Amino acid sequence: MLSAGSEPSVVNPYAIEAMAELGIDIGHHRSKSVDEINPASLDMVITLCAEEVCPLLPGRGRRLHWGIADPASKDPSIAPDDMRQRFRTARDQIRGRIDVLKELLGLPDGPSAQEFHASVRVASLPESVRFYAWLLKSWPQGVDAPLCNLHSS
């Protein structure tokens, strides 16, 4: 596993503290640039950018984007306890997503895409959308919900 950023600097002391709370010592780590990584050696790239621009790494590795807000800030008005909480929140979000990813990567392969898509038949797209909207109790973004109540049983 590698970690790098588009603007490397020093490892943030709040990051070191947040990880130490879990018994993980990152005090010896250093901040690295994405330029130091050989993209051809990567199986998967996970970007965490939320407000900033994510670096682009060429290569064939799978790509995931987890938009997690950067807890670091140079704003002097943020109290130390608030900074600690920001780093804990980011740490816990990343940890939770890694746990889910580990489970997903451990699943056996399903049917091939060709087999799966060949088995799905949709006679009426509007009826399918309404059915899945009812089933998921949600309406697709950017589409006006129908006048009927999607949440009724």
Side-chain angles (χ1 to χ4, degrees):
M1 178 161 24
L2 300 170
S3 175
S6 55
E7 296 180 23
S9 62
V10 298
V11 178
N12 193 298
Y14 289 109
I16 295 170
E17 185 179 328
M19 296 307 289
E21 292 173 355
L22 299 180
I24 300 170
D25 179 13
I26 63 168
H28 61 283
H29 287 208
R30 69 178 182 84
S31 182
K32 295 173 285 304
S33 169
V34 293
D35 296 333
E36 296 179 47
I37 296 176
N38 175 5
S41 69
L42 303 175
D43 296 331
M44 182 178 292
V45 174
I46 301 173
T47 53
L48 304 177
C49 321
E51 301 90 21
E52 65 278 4
V53 175
C54 286
L56 178 64
L57 289 171
R60 298 185 183 262
R62 288 189 272 180
R63 299 176 191 291
L64 295 174
H65 176 70
W66 298 343
I68 296 176
D70 187 349
S73 176
K74 294 179 182 176
D75 181 351
S77 69
I78 301 175
D81 284 341
D82 292 335
M83 286 296 291
R84 286 182 184 90
Q85 188 55 48
R86 290 166 63 124
F87 275 84
R88 287 180 188 123
T89 298
R91 173 202 66 198
D92 295 344
Q93 288 176 344
I94 294 168
R95 184 180 188 190
R97 291 176 190 204
I98 288 173
D99 290 344
V100 170
L101 180 60
K102 285 190 317 192
E103 293 296 321
L104 290 173
L105 292 175
L107 289 175
D109 289 340
S112 70
Q114 183 177 14
E115 177 184 338
F116 175 75
H117 291 296
S119 67
V120 175
R121 301 283 187 259
V122 176
S124 167
L125 185 58
E127 287 177 13
S128 281
V129 170
R130 282 194 295 276
F131 170 74
Y132 284 106
W134 167 81
L135 181 68
L136 300 172
K137 298 186 183 335
S138 162
W139 196 251
Q141 289 183 340
V143 177
D144 292 332
L147 297 175
C148 65
N149 183 354
L150 294 175
H151 301 285
S152 62
S153 43

